[in-house]
C-alpha cells in the first residue's frame, strides 16, 4: 500500500530524456493473474501512470513463484524542460507469501541503467547490481517482510472494520531498506472519481522514518471487493500525488506533465547583490523537522544555531583557499574517497584520460582540483533535466548533463588524479529572471580534501572555489551505493516545509 513514497526518491534523483525506453528487469513470462492501471496526477495535472502485474512462473517442477511488478512512467517538467521518468520495482514471492527475491530497474542516463536484483538467503537479502559497474551488498532480512503481491491483497485478507489498526514490514528497493508501515482503516465514505461517485473504504498508511527522514504517508480507497481504486500522497517539494484506477487506454494517454521547478525550489524574501562573491551570508530558516539543527551540514563553512523552536540561523562563509598549515588533529578521509565505485568511476580509462589532460604536470592537490574543475566547466555541455545520477564513465563520453553530471565527473577525475573527493548536495542561490523571484534551488557540487580540510568546487560555475551561496545539506562518498540512499537528506529538507529569509549579506571582510 505504501510504496508510492519511493516516487519522491526517484523524482529527486532520476531525470531521463523522453526518448529513452526502459528495459524491464524481468521478462513478461508466466501466467498473468493480476493487472491494474492507474493514472497519476500532481495537483490535478496529469503526469503519467502506474502499471501493476502479477505473474505465476514455474521455476521448477511443482514449484511456482509469483512475480509482482510495478512500472511507473511519469512525464514532468522543470522550468519548461521536459523529462520522462521510468522505473520498475517488484518482488518474487512463494506460494505461501514469503518474499524470495526483489528487483529494481531505473534509467540513469541515455547509456546507463541500474538493475538491482536481490535474493533472500536465510536472514539476509543479497543484492547485486548488473551493468557496467558491479554492486554487491547484503542487508539483514526479516521473513515477515510483505512483498508487493502481499501488499496488494493485504486489506482484502484483513477486511478491517473502520477504526482497526495494523502494521507490517515492506522492502523499499530505492533505498535498499526494510520499512515498517503503520496502517489504519478509517471510514467508509463517498468518493468522487471522474463523473462517478463510489462508496469506498478509506485506509491510511504511514511509513516509519529512514535515517532520520520522515517519509510521506498515503491514503487509499478500496471498493467492496477490496480492490484499490484511488490513492493520495502529499509529497513536499513535489505536490499532491493522486492515483486513480483506469483502463490501459486512459492511463497511457499522452500528457505534458506538471512543472516541478518551483515546487523543488525555495523562494527568498530578497535578492542578493553578489551571492557568489560575498564573504558570508546569514539565513533564517523555519522548519517543521523535530531536530531542525540537524537538517543542514555543519563544518568549516557552515554554522547552525537554534534561534527558537523550529527556527535556525544558518551562517555560510566563502571558502577560497585551503589552510596553509595542515591541521594535525584533522581526521583523514578513508580510502573510499579515492576508490572507484558504481557512480564515481575513477578507474574508467576515459575518466583517467580526461584527468591527465586537465592536470598535466601539476602536483599540488588544490591546483590539480581547480584545473579539473576548470576543464569540466569548459568541456561539458549543460543539458538541464535530461540526465541525473549518470556514472562518471558515461558523462566522460557524452560530456553533457546537469549539475549532478558535472559533480560526478569532477569528483571521479579528482580521484583519478589522486585527490580525495566526494559530491556535496544542497541548495544554491539562483537570481530571479523572467519574472521569477530569487530562490534557492537543489544543487550538487564537489568537495576535495586538501591540507586537512574539505574544500568546495563547482564545475557548473568554474570559479575555482565556492562562496556562501552554496548551502550544504549532506555529502557522500557513494562507496557501496547503487541506489538513491544518499539523496534521503534532500527529502528530509522538503518534508520539513522550509521557508528561508536572507538576514544579512556580508560583501567585504570586516
Amino acid at each position: 500500500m505504501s510504496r508510492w513514497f519511493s516516487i519522491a526518491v526517484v523524482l529527486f534523483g532520476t531525470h531521463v530524456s523522453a526518448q529513452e525506453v526502459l528495459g524491464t528487469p524481468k521478462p513478461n513470462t508466466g501466467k498473468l493473474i493480476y493487472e491494474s492501471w492507474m493514472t497519476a496526477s500532481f495537483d490535478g495535472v496529469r503526469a503519467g501512470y502506474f502499471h501493476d502485474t502479477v505473474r505465476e512462473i514455474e521455476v521448477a517442477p511443482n514449484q511456482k513463484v509469483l512475480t509482482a511488478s510495478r512500472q511507473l512512467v511519469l512525464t514532468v517538467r522543470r522550468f519548461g524542460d521536459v523529462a520522462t521518468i521510468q522505473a520498475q520495482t517488484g518482488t518474487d514471492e512463494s506460494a505461501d507469501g514469503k518474499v524470495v527475491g526483489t528487483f529494481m530497474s531505473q534509467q540513469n542516463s541515455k547509456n546507463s541503467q541500474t538493475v538491482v536484483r536481490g535474493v533472500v538467503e536465510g536472514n539476509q537479502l543479497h543484492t547485486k547490481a548488473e551493468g557496467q559497474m558491479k554492486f554487491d551488498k547484503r542487508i539483514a532480512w526479516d521473513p515477515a517482510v510483505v512483498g508487493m503481491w502481499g501488499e496488494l491483497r493485504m486489506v482484502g485478507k484483513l477486511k478491517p472494520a473502520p477504526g482497526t489498526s495494523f502494521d507490517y514490514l515492506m522492502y523499499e528497493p530505492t533505498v535498499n531498506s526494510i520499512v515498517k508501515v503503520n496502517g489504519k482503516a478509517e471510514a467508509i465514505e463517498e468518493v468522487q472519481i471522474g463523473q462517478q461517485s463510489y462508496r469506498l473504504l478509506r485506509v491510511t498508511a504511514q511509513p516509519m522514518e529512514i535515517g532520520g527522514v520522515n517519509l510521506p504517508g498515503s491514503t487509499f480507497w478500496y471498493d467492496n471487493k477490496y480492490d484499490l481504486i484511488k490513492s493520495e500522497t502529499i509529497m513536499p517539494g513535489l505536490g499532491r500525488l493522486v492515483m486513480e484506477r483506469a483502463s490501459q487506454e486512459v492511463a497511457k494517454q499522452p500528457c505534458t506533465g506538471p512543472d516541478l521547478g518551483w515546487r523543488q525550489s525555495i523562494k527568498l524574501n530578497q535578492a542578493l547583490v553578489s551571492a557568489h562573491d560575498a564573504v558570508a551570508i546569514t539565513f533564517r530558516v523555519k522548519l517543521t523537522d523535530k531536530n531542525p539543527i540537524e537538517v543542514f551540514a555543519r563544518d568549516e563553512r557552515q554554522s547552525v544555531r537554534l534561534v527558537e523552536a523550529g527556527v535556525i540561523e544558518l551562517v555560510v562563509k566563502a571558502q577560497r583557499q585551503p589552510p596553509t598549515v595542515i591541521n594535525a588533529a584533522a581526521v583523514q578521509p578513508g580510502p573510499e574517497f579515492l576508490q572507484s565505485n558504481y557512480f564515481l568511476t575513477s578507474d574508467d580509462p576515459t575518466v583517467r584520460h580526461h584527468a591527465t589532460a586537465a592536470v598535466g604536470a601539476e602536483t599540488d592537490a588544490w591546483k590539480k582540483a581547480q584545473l579539473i574543475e576548470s576543464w569540466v566547466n569548459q568541456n561539458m555541455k549543460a543539458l538541464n533535466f535530461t540526465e541525473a545520477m549518470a556514472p562518471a564513465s558515461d558523462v566522460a563520453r557524452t560530456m553533457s548533463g546537469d549539475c549532478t553530471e558535472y559533480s560526478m565527473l569532477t569528483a571521479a577525475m579528482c580521484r583519478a588524479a589522486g585527490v580525495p573527493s566526494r559530491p556535496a548536495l544542497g541548495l544554491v542561490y539562483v537570481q530571479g529572471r523572467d519574472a521569477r523571484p530569487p530562490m534557492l534551488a537543489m544543487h550538487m557540487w564537489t568537495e576535495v580534501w586538501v591540507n586537512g580540510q574539505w574544500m568546495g568546487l563547482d564545475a557548473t560555475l568554474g570559479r575555482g572555489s565556492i562562496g556562501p551561496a552554496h548551502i550544504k545539506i549532506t555529502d557522500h562518498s557513494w562507496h557501496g551505493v547503487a541506489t538513491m540512499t544518499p539523496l534521503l537528506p534532500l527529502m528530509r529538507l522538503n518534508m520539513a516545509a522550509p521557508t528561508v529569509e536572507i538576514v544579512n549579506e556580508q560583501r567585504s571582510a570586516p
Side-chain angles (χ1 to χ4, degrees):
M1 296 189 314
S2 62
R3 295 176 191 269
W4 309 134
F5 83 80
S6 63
I7 304 171
V9 181
V10 173
L11 284 174
F12 280 121
T14 307
H15 313 301
V16 299
S17 68
Q19 288 74 33
E20 295 306 311
V21 178
L22 180 69
T24 59
K26 287 278 187 177
N28 291 326
T29 59
K31 178 183 177 182
L32 181 66
I33 63 172
Y34 176 86
E35 183 174 28
S36 74
W37 295 83
M38 299 190 80
T39 60
S41 302
F42 283 98
D43 293 335
V45 180
R46 277 287 303 276
Y49 64 87
F50 272 60
H51 180 211
D52 289 354
T53 60
V54 180
R55 294 179 180 273
E56 185 180 74
I57 301 174
E58 188 169 353
V59 294
N62 300 318
Q63 184 179 352
K64 297 178 180 179
V65 168
L66 297 171
T67 295
S69 174
R70 173 167 295 145
Q71 180 190 29
L72 71 87
V73 178
L74 300 176
T75 298
V76 295
R77 291 174 289 140
R78 181 175 291 162
F79 301 125
D81 294 325
V82 181
T84 296
I85 291 90
Q86 303 186 64
Q88 188 172 22
T89 60
T91 53
D92 294 325
E93 302 167 40
S94 62
D96 61 355
K98 297 293 184 183
V99 176
V100 296
T102 65
F103 55 90
M104 177 189 74
S105 179
Q106 186 171 300
Q107 200 79 24
N108 298 319
S109 70
K110 295 177 180 179
N111 304 307
S112 173
Q113 177 180 301
T114 298
V115 177
V116 181
R117 302 182 192 273
V119 177
V120 176
E121 299 174 349
N123 62 354
Q124 290 186 327
L125 177 68
H126 186 189
T127 56
K128 291 184 178 181
E130 303 173 358
Q132 185 176 11
M133 290 297 294
K134 303 301 179 183
F135 166 83
D136 194 314
K137 191 172 183 179
R138 298 174 185 268
I139 66 168
W141 186 256
D142 191 319
V145 169
V146 177
M148 188 175 292
W149 182 220
E151 274 195 294
L152 288 169
R153 297 183 298 165
M154 181 179 298
V155 175
K157 283 188 171 184
L158 293 175
K159 296 180 172 58
T164 304
S165 296
F166 56 94
D167 57 66
Y168 64 98
L169 300 177
M170 58 164 281
Y171 170 70
E172 178 47 55
T174 54
V175 291
N176 199 26
S177 297
I178 293 175
V179 182
K180 183 178 180 180
V181 181
N182 297 132
K184 184 178 182 180
E186 299 285 353
I188 296 176
E189 60 190 17
E190 295 291 328
V191 179
Q192 190 76 21
I193 300 178
Q195 301 300 316
Q196 291 185 287
S197 180
Y198 299 85
R199 190 165 176 79
L200 305 175
L201 172 66
R202 173 164 50 91
V203 178
T204 57
Q206 178 59 58
M208 297 295 96
E209 67 178 33
I210 299 178
V213 179
N214 291 317
L215 302 172
S218 299
T219 303
F220 303 88
W221 287 269
Y222 296 84
D223 65 12
N224 57 8
K225 296 180 181 179
Y226 298 101
D227 286 332
L228 179 62
I229 304 300
K230 179 179 179 178
S231 76
E232 180 176 309
T233 306
I234 303 298
M235 295 185 171
L238 298 175
R240 182 172 64 98
L241 170 67
V242 174
M243 312 282 292
E244 294 181 344
R245 181 67 71 92
S247 66
Q248 176 179 350
E249 181 182 8
V250 170
K252 297 185 73 172
Q253 288 178 353
C255 58
T256 57
D259 195 318
L260 303 179
W262 289 116
R263 303 177 195 184
Q264 293 185 342
S265 303
I266 303 172
K267 297 178 183 178
L268 295 171
N269 59 319
Q270 66 184 66
L272 292 166
V273 177
S274 54
H276 296 292
D277 295 314
V279 173
I281 301 172
T282 302
F283 302 90
R284 182 182 176 91
V285 186
K286 294 182 180 180
L287 302 158
T288 60
D289 194 277
K290 62 183 179 181
N291 295 308
I293 203 167
E294 297 178 358
V295 174
F296 294 95
R298 287 164 286 177
D299 53 24
E300 292 83 358
R301 289 184 61 245
Q302 293 186 180
S303 63
V304 184
R305 180 176 68 89
L306 185 65
V307 177
E308 57 184 82
V311 180
I312 62 171
E313 181 183 82
L314 177 64
V315 179
V316 187
K317 300 177 181 178
Q319 188 182 48
R320 307 299 183 194
Q321 294 292 334
T324 54
V325 179
I326 299 177
N327 181 3
V331 179
Q332 296 294 315
E336 66 271 18
F337 294 96
L338 274 172
Q339 294 172 350
S340 183
N341 59 44
Y342 189 91
F343 285 105
L344 301 178
T345 49
S346 56
D347 61 356
D348 176 78
T350 306
V351 172
R352 297 181 69 85
H353 173 79
H354 290 340
T356 300
V359 169
E362 183 58 61
T363 58
D364 179 80
W366 178 235
K367 291 180 180 178
K368 285 198 291 185
Q370 287 180 310
L371 286 169
I372 289 171
E373 181 211 49
S374 177
W375 188 94
V376 172
N377 174 264
Q378 293 174 20
N379 288 277
M380 282 275 289
K381 179 182 180 182
L383 293 176
N384 294 326
F385 207 42
T386 56
E387 294 186 354
M389 308 314 301
S393 53
D394 280 0
V395 183
R397 289 165 176 78
T398 64
M399 292 306 295
S400 63
D402 57 18
C403 65
T404 57
E405 280 69 55
Y406 278 71
S407 172
M408 288 292 187
L409 181 57
T410 301
M413 288 173 61
C414 284
R415 292 185 184 189
V419 181
S421 66
R422 65 190 186 190
L425 298 94
L427 304 167
V428 69
Y429 175 80
V430 177
Q431 181 65 52
R433 64 181 187 277
D434 300 331
R436 303 173 190 169
M439 59 187 175
L440 295 173
M442 295 290 180
H443 193 52
M444 185 183 288
W445 59 97
T446 309
E447 292 182 338
V448 293
W449 180 262
V450 180
N451 288 354
Q453 184 171 308
W454 287 104
M455 299 290 299
L457 293 167
D458 188 344
T460 66
L461 300 176
R463 298 169 62 92
S465 64
I466 61 172
H470 289 69
I471 302 176
K472 181 177 170 182
I473 297 173
T474 189
D475 57 68
H476 206 283
S477 70
W478 291 82
H479 175 72
V481 173
T483 63
M484 298 294 107
T485 304
L487 301 181
L488 281 174
L490 300 183
M491 280 188 62
R492 178 177 183 175
L493 175 69
N494 278 277
M495 290 294 294
T499 60
V500 182
E501 294 182 356
I502 297 170
V503 177
N504 179 56
E505 178 186 7
Q506 183 182 338
R507 294 192 290 273
S508 60

